[in-house]
Amino acid sequence: MSDKKNISIWLIWLAIFPPSMFYLYFSIEPNFTGYWIDIIAFAIVMCAVAVFPIQVGSITIFFINGVSFAVFLYFGLFAEIILTQLALIALFIKIRLKKTEFYRIATNSTMLFLTSIFAAVVYYALGGTHGVLTLNTMDQIIPLVGYIIGSIAVNQILLALIDVYVKGNKFKGVPKSLLIDSAVTAMIFPIGLILYILYLQIGLAAILIVGFPAILLSVVISTHHKGRRINRYLHDTSNIGHELSKKLNVKDVLDTFVAKVHELIPMSYIYVYDITNSSRSMNMIRYVSDDESKQLEDISLEYGEGFAGMIYQDKSPHILVKRSQIDKISNLEIPNEVNSVVGVPILRNNLTVGVLVIASKRKHAYEKYHLMLLEILGNFLSVAIENARHYQSEKNKSQRDRLTGLYNYRYFTEHLESYALDLEEKELSEKLSVILFDLDSFKKLNDTYGHEAGNEVLIELAQRIETFVGEQGLVARYGGEEFTVLIKGYSHDEAVMFAESIRSMISLESFNVKSHMLKQDEPIDLNVTASVGVATYPDHCESPDELIRQADRSMYVGAKRNGKNCVASAEQAI
């Protein structure tokens, strides 16, 4: 909300509430002598039922209206307004408004005040009075009905005005909530009437008989609703666990987890840390803020450092709901605007493998049940990450070459076949080129310097090729000292030039080898060359499946037989 609108709301409250209360006090001259204990008892009941409203679905029921009705009938308008405002204060103390929501004090105070005034005007206009009423004649019943209808009507009008002016929504006519409020009021006002009648008969004891059971009912139903809400959270948490179990890589697991937790629990920030147990260090692997423009550098924490480090050290969850508590932590990684933070360890086999932290700018944003939910979610996350890593590991074993880390021959051929089939099904025409190269005299290198030296050359070569090709193609170890590259969308001449660049990259820079069979201990530099063959579809074959065979033939016939360390096209091998 803009500062201008905020100020205007408070100015309206100042213009209406204080002057009107002064006027009412001096014009009515209320006298509660002998009734102060009763007034205080009514105030306690009203504050209590305000603090524990009954929640039925999306409908909130306050018994405050019924109690205030009894106060109005016996003690008059001034007492009813004072006690209603006290109940409002109690409610706002309980929900702990943020500074940005302080305008709600003025809007709700003004709304309740005007509702009381207009309902009372209707009551007095219909001949209503205060004190001891017999309620057995139409002269006394009609004002009661007028008070109830007037209260509902004015309340709805004021709610519509607040919705339009304060919240900025468009007016949509008579709200559907009118019927709901009418039904709720029809249930609550008779309770107030019963309280009033009993008060006439037995005095203060009536407040104990009706008022405090109403408080207990509110507490019980409020607690029941909280339990149902927690059960709903647990159900949602279980669904999150099922969603996570479907993800097969760590990135998808983390993305899904963060998105779902953000929907479930109110937060401004979420941090997920991964722990390297060998070094006892923590690295932040995921961070999300409700302020998308705010970027955060990667955080690395040590054992016991900061809030997350404290959780790691204690191996137990922590919840802090005040900034004063948060500021006591040394080397704090939490932003200054955070006023509530909760964190739990992520455990696997009784070892802390990570830490989950969520934070809110609101004070007292989290309760103990949030800890319970986060502990369950942390366990789900741990299992999902372990499953995803295991799946990825097994997938890599089947798709990757163990020595170089490149894709293996099996994956390369399957990828080429599936891509070719996709092109055929979509009736697309695209040039595909395979570059196949074999290291020259590699057996002699192994015999001279040892197989470990040869492995070092293969590993470094794989790194060079993968860096050089990057996103332009797919690199694989074809077998032994043979490697292959698949590139798409290149003409044959462009593919040959690309292959020549690879050949030059291999031959121009020597390979530094540490594990060799020579007597010297120092590393040695080895010069390595490669013979390269290139074939392109559809230039040299009728189907992409034949590409590898054509590239292999061009390498041996066109490159190996022509002195090695050169590039040969499939056209030369024909």
Side-chain angles (χ1 to χ4, degrees), residues 165-374:
Y165 178 73
V166 178
K167 298 180 181 179
N169 299 324
K170 293 183 178 179
F171 179 68
K172 299 179 182 179
V174 179
K176 295 180 180 179
S177 60
L178 178 60
L179 293 177
I180 297 174
D181 280 351
S182 300
V184 170
T185 303
M187 178 186 72
I188 292 175
F189 275 106
I191 295 174
L193 196 59
I194 293 170
L195 175 58
Y196 168 74
I197 294 170
L198 277 177
Y199 180 72
L200 292 179
Q201 299 297 321
I202 59 177
L204 187 61
I207 302 174
L208 297 174
I209 294 173
V210 178
F212 285 101
I215 296 173
L216 292 176
L217 182 62
S218 296
V219 172
V220 168
I221 296 178
S222 177
T223 304
H224 173 70
H225 174 72
K226 186 176 180 180
R228 290 187 61 187
R229 183 176 59 190
I230 293 174
N231 287 336
R232 187 177 70 251
Y233 283 153
L234 289 172
H235 180 266
D236 293 342
T237 300
S238 176
N239 289 339
I240 293 174
H242 289 306
E243 283 290 319
L244 294 178
S245 66
K246 299 175 185 177
K247 305 303 175 183
L248 298 179
N249 67 69
V250 175
K251 181 181 181 301
D252 286 346
V253 167
L254 290 171
D255 287 343
T256 302
F257 179 81
V258 168
K260 295 296 182 181
V261 173
H262 204 284
E263 293 174 3
L264 186 66
I265 301 175
M267 67 182 71
S268 304
Y269 304 93
I270 182 169
Y271 308 79
V272 182
Y273 294 90
D274 187 53
I275 292 176
T276 306
N277 284 301
S278 58
S279 61
R280 305 185 92 188
S281 62
M282 305 170 55
N283 296 309
M284 186 178 67
I285 58 175
R286 190 52 53 96
Y287 162 79
V288 175
S289 166
D290 58 3
D291 182 3
E292 296 180 357
S293 64
K294 186 171 183 177
Q295 299 296 322
L296 186 69
E297 296 181 1
D298 291 341
I299 295 177
S300 181
L301 300 172
E302 297 300 323
Y303 182 76
E305 181 183 8
F307 181 70
M310 179 177 68
I311 294 170
Y312 178 22
Q313 182 179 33
D314 296 345
K315 202 177 176 180
S316 63
H318 287 274
I319 180 169
L320 304 175
V321 293
K322 294 180 182 178
R323 187 67 208 185
S324 58
Q325 296 173 329
I326 298 173
D327 288 335
K328 293 178 181 178
I329 301 171
S330 59
N331 300 321
L332 185 65
E333 75 280 16
I334 304 296
N336 292 330
E337 61 266 26
V338 167
N339 287 294
S340 298
V341 62
V342 59
V344 297
I346 300 173
L347 302 175
R348 187 183 304 136
N349 299 325
N350 208 32
L351 286 176
T352 304
V353 296
V355 172
L356 171 62
V357 175
I358 63 171
S360 173
K361 297 174 184 178
R362 292 182 55 191
K363 294 180 182 178
H364 301 277
Y366 303 117
E367 300 179 40
K368 288 185 178 180
Y369 74 87
H370 288 117
L371 276 180
M372 177 187 67
L373 294 176
L374 282 182

Side-chain angles (χ1 to χ4, degrees), residues 492-502 567:
H492 181 63
D493 290 340
E494 290 171 335
V496 171
M497 292 176 61
F498 193 82
E500 178 61 33
S501 299
I502 293 176
V567 175

Side-chain angles (χ1 to χ4, degrees), residues 13 17 21 32 36 38-51 64 68 71 78-94 105 108-109 112-113 116:
W13 180 84
F17 188 76
M21 290 304 293
F32 305 129
W36 283 109
D38 299 37
I39 293 289
I40 292 172
F42 274 113
I44 292 172
V45 171
M46 288 181 66
C47 290
V49 295
V51 169
I64 182 177
S68 67
V71 172
F78 189 83
E80 187 264 338
I81 292 174
I82 293 294
L83 268 59
T84 301
Q85 296 291 322
L86 285 175
L88 180 65
I89 293 171
L91 175 63
F92 282 137
I93 291 174
K94 191 233 180 181
I105 298 174
N108 283 274
S109 175
L112 288 176
F113 174 75
S116 297

Side-chain angles (χ1 to χ4, degrees), residues 25 44 57 97 124 161 167 242 295 320 431 485 502 564:
Y25 180 79
I44 292 172
L97 287 177
Y124 296 142
L161 289 173
K167 298 180 181 179
H242 289 306
Q295 299 296 322
L320 304 175
K431 286 186 178 294
V485 178
I502 293 176
K564 303 178 181 179

